[in-house]
């Protein structure tokens, strides 16, 4: 079946601009996560949704970052006033039930802030 | 060996050999562990998982071993193939406080290169 889909696959933006990154999880997966991966590092947790609500947003680095999942399926990660340090691969993952079930990742959006 | 930043540990093997990738974790409360394979330009791909009430679990060509005493996890790949070449990450999470979910903490990764 279809896996986690992320769009766009690449995004180049200028410092100070606003960006939105989209994630379509696997159908039927109630849990959705955003992670960020810098070059040569493992992914780092940003935010977790169970259904429509953000159950844990403790990984968001600051208030320029925000994510929504209004209908409990598709999620959008929003970054305001982008900075060069935001450049990374943003990964979305979903899992069937959230606890003790493996995360299935998309291929990510590579964000480059110039 | 130890690595910092971009200098990930590396493992080079010949096709057909068995590979062992190691991972040390730090949180003694971690109770669920996953191995992921990541190829260039792709997201991490689930390989195998293990819960803390087990010390060994086998999949197709892969085996994960968990030693909670020394907080060590290993991934064994049998008859390694060129298609196994990738970066391998271990990840852990804890059910402490009953809030277990996919808030994974990833290790630094190991680059596996399989030579034909």
């Amino acid at each position: 079946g279809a896996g986690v889909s992320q769009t766009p696959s690449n995004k180049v933006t200028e410092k100070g601009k606003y960006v939105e990154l989209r994630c379509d999880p696997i159908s039927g997966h109630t849990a959705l996560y955003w992670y960020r991966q810098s070059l040569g590092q493992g992914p780092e947790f940003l935010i977790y949704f169970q259904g429509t609500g953000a159950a844990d947003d403790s990984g968001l680095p600051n208030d320029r970052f925000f994510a929504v999942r209004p209908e409990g399926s598709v999620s959008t990660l929003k970054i305001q006033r982008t900075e060069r340090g935001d450049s990374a691969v943003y990964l979305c993952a979903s899992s069937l039930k959230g606890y003790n079930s493996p995360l299935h990742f998309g291929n990510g959006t590579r964000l480059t802030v110039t | 060996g130890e690595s910092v930043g971009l200098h990930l540990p590396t493992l080079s093997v010949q096709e057909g050999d068995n590979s062992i990738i190691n991972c040390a974790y730090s949180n003694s409360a971690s109770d669920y562990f996953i191995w992921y394979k990541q190829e260039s330009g792709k997201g991490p791909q689930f390989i195998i998982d293990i819960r803390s009430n087990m010390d060994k679990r086998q999949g197709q060509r892969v085996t994960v071993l968990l030693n909670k005493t020394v907080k060590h996890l290993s991934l064994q790949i049998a008859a390694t193939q060129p298609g196994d070449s990738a970066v391998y990450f271990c990840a852990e999470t804890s059910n402490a406080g009953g809030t277990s979910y996919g808030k994974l903490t990833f290790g630094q990764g190991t680059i596996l290169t399989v030579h034909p």
Side-chain angles (χ1 to χ4, degrees):
Chain A
V4 176
S5 176
Q6 291 188 247
T7 55
S9 56
N10 282 282
K11 176 70 177 177
V12 180
T13 191
E14 293 180 346
K15 178 177 179 296
K17 299 290 188 182
Y18 168 82
V19 296
E20 290 189 352
L21 312 179
R22 177 186 167 106
C23 173
D24 278 277
I26 294 172
S27 178
H29 281 194
T30 60
L32 183 145
Y33 316 81
W34 285 97
Y35 281 74
R36 179 167 72 173
Q37 187 173 27
S38 300
L39 187 63
Q41 304 291 323
E44 294 180 322
F45 172 82
L46 295 177
I47 187 169
Y48 158 64
F49 288 89
Q50 182 59 258
T52 60
D56 184 347
D57 64 358
S58 62
L60 295 178
N62 51 60
D63 62 5
R64 294 186 298 105
F65 288 75
F66 189 71
V68 296
R69 194 186 185 199
E71 298 179 357
S73 179
V74 170
S75 176
T76 304
L77 178 66
K78 308 180 181 191
I79 311 174
Q80 299 177 321
R81 304 183 304 279
T82 51
E83 300 177 356
R84 293 192 180 90
D86 298 335
S87 296
V89 175
Y90 290 82
L91 295 164
C92 178
S94 68
S95 68
L96 188 58
K97 57 183 179 179
Y99 61 93
N100 284 352
S101 63
L103 274 64
H104 298 275
F105 284 85
N107 286 331
T109 294
R110 179 175 298 279
L111 176 66
T112 303
V113 182
T114 62
Chain B
E2 198 173 50
S3 69
V4 176
L6 297 179
H7 303 289
L8 297 178
T10 59
L11 175 64
S12 292
V13 301
Q14 290 295 126
E15 181 177 3
D17 287 351
N18 296 332
S19 302
I20 300 177
I21 300 171
N22 296 303
C23 176
Y25 64 94
S26 56
N27 185 358
S28 57
S30 291
D31 58 5
Y32 179 55
F33 305 86
I34 310 176
W35 278 100
Y36 284 94
K37 170 188 180 183
Q38 187 171 29
E39 297 173 284
S40 180
K42 296 187 177 181
Q45 176 187 356
F46 171 81
I47 300 174
I48 191 168
D49 58 359
I50 189 168
R51 290 174 174 70
S52 59
N53 61 351
M54 305 172 69
D55 53 20
K56 179 179 180 179
R57 189 168 187 217
Q58 290 184 294
Q60 186 176 11
R61 283 202 305 120
V62 294
T63 300
V64 55
L65 299 177
L66 174 62
N67 185 330
K68 295 182 289 294
T69 302
V70 296
K71 297 200 286 286
H72 183 268
L73 196 66
S74 69
L75 176 71
Q76 301 178 0
I77 305 173
T80 318
Q81 303 167 0
D84 294 328
S85 296
V87 179
Y88 288 80
F89 290 98
C90 64
E92 60 182 294
T93 190
S94 167
N95 191 33
T99 58
S100 176
Y101 49 82
K103 187 175 183 179
L104 299 175
T105 299
F106 281 79
Q108 66 178 149
T110 295
I111 301 172
L112 174 65
T113 303
V114 183
H115 301 282

